Amino acid sequence: MTAITARESGSTIVHRVRRSPAPSMRALSVSSGETPAYDLVNGRPDRLSPYPGSELRTWTEQELLVCAGAGAPSNLAGPQAYVDSREEAVAAALRAGVDSFTDHGTDASVVLGRLRRALERGLIGQEDVDRVVRRQLLTARFLLGEFDPALVLPRNEPMGDGAPLLPLTPGTADARLAVAGLLADTVEPGWYSGALPHRSSPLDGIRGRFGADRVDFAEGVDRIRLRTADGRALRVPEPTGGESVRGPEAALDPALPAGRTDLPPLTAGTEGGSVLDLIDWGDGVPTLRALGGRCLSVAEDGRVRASADEPGGWVVRETFRFEAHGDGHLLLRLGTGGYVSVAADGVKVAADRETAETFTVETVESGEEAVARAAAGAGTVIVAAGNDPHIDGRETEDRADPCVRRPPGPPVAGRARHSSSPPPTRTRYRTRPPRSRPCCGPRTAAPRSSPSATA
């Protein structure tokens, strides 16, 4: 693990920061847990503070789950050297009120072994273990609905005629529904969620309820080709020699995936050229997805491949930024910097702007127009919108503007609203706080081609 730099804080700051949320938490009872800081507070690691047991849990009547940050238990006997052994570290954290240990990725055997040895040495008792099990299993996991059947509780506002929106009544048996939006046919795993045993998207549920033949779907993303300055188009080659199988047993911790190198990199040629989905997540941060469903990603060797099932990783490998340059754009890879270039052996990320390729964007299909077509023939339109938690809800990544912006990509809801009657139903996925004030600062969207370049 990377060593965490210790920082000293005064007791006045500790009380002000820890106590300030107490009244609202007590009134609303909305908190389910807390993660202590990595830092030293008055010379003591924060996760060994008595506050979770002596004060924090008095703020609400329901149980709170206190989770250790990733690698924090190891830090106690490692970089911070606050205790002499790993067993003493987990025992001290457990007694201080920490209920869940995030350490050593998906290998739970390491922490479990330390806890068993701590129990054998008498550093913790059975009552400590029972208390944690009660908080984790019998309280937090049940309260969060982990063992409940699937249930959706949407906001059911009345429509113009005063009738509630739900349940949906599309009218006659042949009435059509339209579903639009980037998140309508996806299930976002989020951080640390592991391999999902099954997925059922909003679109799956709507088709199952009303029949697939009555539901039209438009994702609302532009489909494009990228061409180099000399007119060659980027191409996603077919895998050679068969693709390696990646089942649940090969799934990686979503916080720590590695880029794939078993697929061929993109190339550029004068014939054909692959169509890519340009997915605009807002703030000028797009991902590019091949028609086979995989996002363009960059592995450790610097090659650009259509290899990622979805954006993810502690350093997200699938996000880019278009920078205006001459008559086109440079393509900056955001994860570690560097610009996309085209070499004889494939497309890769270069070290600097001097060797970067200048691309032009050719629109093959407009996402806005696809949504308009789907909405025009429907009596009911459902829009699913929001963000990907690995991009604009990312842990450790500061945002220049603390409030939430509507992504500046295709205005799916607006296009659906003007193309349908009655107005569309909106379903929003969000992993960031709701906007509390007007957004500030400039906003840069992903580039779009001119009408003359549209195929």
Side-chain angles (χ1 to χ4, degrees), residues 135-429:
R135 287 181 185 144
Q136 278 204 31
L137 179 61
L138 302 182
T139 305
R141 294 175 68 184
F142 272 100
L143 285 175
L144 292 173
E146 187 171 336
F147 304 102
D148 294 343
L151 182 65
V152 179
L153 297 175
R155 191 171 173 180
N156 198 16
E157 295 179 339
M159 301 297 289
D161 58 1
L165 176 65
L166 300 176
L168 287 177
T169 53
T172 62
D174 60 348
R176 304 197 64 77
L177 296 89
V179 180
L182 182 60
L183 300 184
D185 194 26
T186 186
V187 177
E188 298 293 343
W191 289 92
Y192 309 110
S193 63
L196 301 180
H198 63 272
R199 296 190 181 209
S200 179
S201 70
L203 180 62
D204 293 331
I206 294 168
R207 283 174 170 167
R209 171 66 177 83
F210 297 103
D213 58 332
R214 297 178 59 190
V215 179
D216 296 315
F217 171 57
E219 194 174 25
V221 300
D222 288 345
R223 289 191 161 178
I224 66 168
R225 287 190 183 93
L226 289 178
R227 294 193 179 275
T228 62
D230 59 6
R232 292 175 296 159
L234 294 193
R235 187 177 69 88
V236 178
E238 294 294 330
T240 57
E243 187 176 343
S244 61
V245 177
R246 291 170 63 84
E249 69 280 357
L252 298 167
D253 183 338
L256 301 168
R260 294 182 62 178
T261 58
D262 60 315
L263 298 173
L266 271 64
T267 60
T270 56
E271 296 182 1
S274 297
V275 175
L276 302 171
D277 291 333
L278 176 63
I279 304 173
D280 186 352
W281 295 104
D283 296 325
V285 179
T287 53
L288 295 161
R289 185 181 61 199
L291 294 189
R294 288 212 170 102
C295 296
L296 302 196
S297 185
V298 183
E300 295 298 333
D301 62 359
R303 304 293 175 180
V304 180
R305 299 174 173 87
S307 59
D309 295 328
E310 56 201 1
W314 187 252
V315 176
V316 179
R317 300 171 180 270
E318 294 75 38
T319 51
F320 298 87
R321 189 184 301 280
F322 285 90
E323 294 185 359
H325 182 74
D327 295 331
H329 292 83
L330 304 181
L331 191 55
L332 173 67
R333 189 261 179 126
L334 292 181
T336 56
Y339 292 84
V340 175
S341 65
V342 178
D345 57 348
V347 179
K348 61 182 180 180
V349 171
D352 50 46
R353 291 172 62 95
E354 285 68 26
T355 56
E357 182 62 54
T358 301
F359 294 99
T360 57
V361 179
E362 173 190 319
T363 300
V364 177
E365 179 181 283
S366 165
E368 294 184 32
E369 293 176 1
V371 170
R373 287 193 299 270
T380 302
V381 181
I382 301 171
V383 176
N387 70 290
D388 186 303
H390 300 95
I391 299 175
D392 34 355
R394 187 190 186 284
E395 183 180 349
T396 78
E397 186 172 277
D398 293 332
R399 300 187 296 271
D401 185 350
C403 59
V404 180
R405 296 170 172 161
R406 182 189 65 77
V412 173
R415 176 65 72 176
R417 181 172 61 251
H418 291 296
S419 304
S420 66
S421 180
T425 301
R426 301 190 189 189
T427 302
R428 180 176 297 176
Y429 296 79

Side-chain angles (χ1 to χ4, degrees), residues 8-142:
E8 299 290 337
S9 301
S11 58
T12 301
I13 297 176
V14 172
H15 280 268
R16 176 162 53 85
V17 171
R18 285 197 180 273
R19 294 189 179 196
S20 58
S24 60
M25 287 174 61
R26 186 183 302 116
L28 299 176
S29 297
V30 296
S31 178
S32 58
E34 185 216 31
T35 299
Y38 283 98
D39 309 320
L40 299 181
V41 179
N42 296 330
R44 176 180 57 203
D46 193 45
R47 62 210 62 258
L48 300 186
S49 166
Y51 284 107
S54 66
E55 183 170 340
L56 180 65
R57 288 191 165 99
T58 67
W59 292 356
T60 176
E61 294 180 356
Q62 72 179 40
E63 285 278 21
L64 291 177
L65 188 69
V66 177
C67 304
S74 291
N75 287 345
L76 296 174
Q80 292 175 328
Y82 192 78
V83 294
D84 295 331
S85 69
R86 306 294 188 186
E87 290 74 22
E88 291 175 87
V90 294
L94 198 71
R95 292 197 307 270
V98 175
D99 305 305
S100 178
F101 297 86
T102 305
D103 210 344
H104 287 270
T106 57
D107 186 3
S109 64
V110 177
V111 172
L112 290 175
R114 294 171 182 175
L115 287 167
R116 290 190 183 98
R117 291 190 294 274
L119 184 63
E120 292 168 358
R121 291 172 54 183
L123 301 175
I124 55 175
Q126 187 61 48
E127 66 279 6
D128 298 308
V129 177
D130 294 343
R131 181 178 61 251
V132 170
V133 170
R134 184 185 71 246
R135 287 181 185 144
Q136 278 204 31
L137 179 61
L138 302 182
T139 305
R141 294 175 68 184
F142 272 100

